[in-house]
Amino acid sequence: MRLLRTTSTDPELVYVANENKTPKYAILLHVWGDKEVTFQKDMKGWSKVVGACKLARRKDWEYIWIDTCCIDKSSSSELSEAINSMYRYYRKSKVCYAYLSDMQSDCLGQSFNLMFWMCKWFTRGWTLQELIAPTRVFFFTNDWVKIGMKASLQETITEITGIPSLFLLGADPTCHSSIAARMSWAAGRETTHVEDRAYSLMGVFGVHMPPLYGKGEHAF
């Protein structure tokens, strides 16, 4: 597992070989844009990475995990390991910061509910596990103004997603909910790759398997 060290002058990647010795860490939850910072190169998504690191540092979290740049996606084995481990990463994190790139801080008044409902983050396949796996999730606007916690926004999030409060607030759905219920939470969510409609649900269903792109709908 790779983590970004937030206390460095520039965010620095640190490799942790033994997961049992992983230090406490935060996680950035977000929707991927067109030009994200990756393991291989810096792009315009850098400001989002820097913003997340600054926030974690202010809260005394020395490390943060960000999926875009902490995984070497050119390595099929590393990508497979990461996809199979993501749900556990979220579950074991100390705090998660959900960055809503299409939510503006000047919408936090009367139009808040409408804008929150319309956020793309709630429509993506991969963000389902980002929402239910971690215990503590804080939501932020695109200029890093805090909106609230998953706990304080629970009623609205349940209305948007159909996920009962029991599973939003900590109960592990892989043990305590039906397959039909979990499938209903995923209904209508979108992914860039067809295969990811299946692979984004692996943690939610407690499934471990090597992902293979090119299968299309057969990934299910």
Side-chain angles (χ1 to χ4, degrees):
M1 181 184 193
R2 289 188 183 84
L3 295 168
L4 281 170
R5 192 193 305 274
T6 66
T7 53
S8 303
T9 304
D10 290 318
E12 171 193 4
L13 278 171
V14 176
Y15 180 69
V16 181
N18 186 341
E19 190 172 330
N20 293 327
K21 296 183 178 180
T22 303
K24 297 177 181 179
Y25 60 91
I27 288 183
L28 173 66
L29 313 178
H30 64 121
V31 173
W32 284 36
D34 294 331
K35 295 183 178 180
E36 292 288 351
V37 175
T38 65
F39 181 80
Q40 285 80 16
K41 56 185 176 181
D42 296 347
M43 302 184 80
K44 70 177 184 181
W46 181 246
S47 61
K48 178 168 56 177
V49 172
V50 171
C53 289
K54 285 182 177 178
L55 177 62
R57 186 167 61 247
R58 286 202 306 269
K59 300 300 181 180
D60 294 326
W61 300 113
E62 185 177 357
Y63 298 96
I64 190 169
W65 186 82
I66 303 176
D67 55 1
T68 48
C69 52
C70 289
I71 305 170
D72 181 1
K73 298 170 189 67
S74 67
S75 167
S76 58
S77 61
E78 183 169 331
L79 179 60
S80 177
E81 179 183 357
I83 289 176
N84 278 276
S85 304
M86 277 184 189
Y87 190 88
R88 187 170 69 254
Y89 291 170
Y90 298 132
R91 200 78 180 167
K92 294 176 67 176
S93 67
K94 295 303 179 183
V95 64
C96 289
Y97 304 128
Y99 177 78
L100 307 181
S101 59
D102 48 2
M103 186 82 180
Q104 300 174 354
S105 55
D106 58 7
C107 296
L108 298 184
Q110 293 182 342
S111 61
F112 168 75
N113 276 347
L114 176 61
M115 296 303 298
F116 196 58
W117 270 76
M118 294 174 62
C119 283
K120 190 176 182 181
W121 192 81
F122 290 110
T123 71
R124 304 300 292 172
W126 286 104
T127 58
L128 175 59
Q129 62 178 356
E130 295 181 4
L131 179 60
I132 62 177
T135 302
R136 298 177 67 215
V137 178
F138 290 84
F139 291 88
F140 292 86
T141 64
N142 61 1
D143 54 352
W144 294 103
V145 174
K146 187 170 73 173
I147 300 171
M149 292 184 65
K150 179 169 65 169
S152 63
L153 297 167
Q154 173 268 309
E155 290 186 8
T156 302
I157 295 173
T158 293
E159 291 177 3
I160 296 172
T161 64
I163 303 172
S165 59
L166 174 68
F167 303 111
L168 284 176
L169 302 182
D172 190 347
T174 60
C175 304
H176 301 101
S177 66
S178 69
I179 291 175
R182 281 172 275 173
M183 286 300 293
S184 72
W185 305 339
R189 289 176 177 263
E190 301 174 354
T191 59
T192 302
H193 300 287
V194 174
E195 296 87 353
D196 284 335
R197 291 181 58 235
Y199 299 149
S200 63
L201 298 178
M202 287 166 55
V204 178
F205 284 93
V207 171
H208 294 86
M209 58 181 281
L212 180 61
Y213 289 89
K215 284 186 173 184
E217 294 288 351
H218 293 291
F220 269 101

